[in-house]
Amino acid sequence: MPIYEYKCRDCGRLTSVFVRSIGSEVDATCRHCGGSKLSRAISGFAYHKSEATILQEYGSEPKRVEDYRDPRQIGRWVERRFKEMGEELPDQTRKMIDAAREGELPPPLTD
Ligand SMILES: [Zn+2]
């Protein structure tokens, strides 16, 4: 399922929005402040990049040093995020989480 990222004009934070298909209407609401003034944060359709962005975003969320040392934490945040959004975890994300739990972190974004 494609993911679009939107930037909130009220609080300036990013919200990932799942869309059923490319080109379908998206009724996006900021998950941070509930604002509705969102603009597309990335141009075009970047499914893979969004997947990596989610992992990266949630991989850097914890404030405790111990959390950085435990790659299994990455998967928990992603799983929780998808659960909150009521979405199934995409196979690709599932594989990235499994890899992370083996101690293999996702490759850095190159573009
Ligand atoms: Zn906001």
Side-chain angles (χ1 to χ4, degrees), residues 22-91:
I22 301 169
S24 63
E25 285 295 314
V26 175
D27 185 17
T29 304
C30 177
R31 69 186 174 90
H32 302 286
C33 74
S36 57
K37 283 178 264 174
L38 304 185
S39 54
R40 189 76 63 81
I42 52 177
S43 61
F45 175 66
Y47 183 75
H48 296 284
K49 189 171 181 179
S50 293
E51 295 281 331
T53 300
I54 289 174
L55 286 174
Q56 204 171 57
E57 178 183 341
Y58 279 76
S60 60
E61 185 179 74
K63 299 296 181 276
R64 292 179 303 151
V65 174
E66 307 90 79
D67 290 340
Y68 286 104
R69 292 179 182 154
D70 185 0
R72 288 170 297 185
Q73 291 288 348
I74 295 169
R76 293 201 193 104
W77 300 318
V78 177
E79 284 171 340
R80 191 177 65 206
R81 167 78 171 275
F82 275 81
K83 195 175 177 184
E84 284 172 358
M85 297 180 81
E87 297 287 346
E88 291 291 323
L89 207 58
D91 286 345

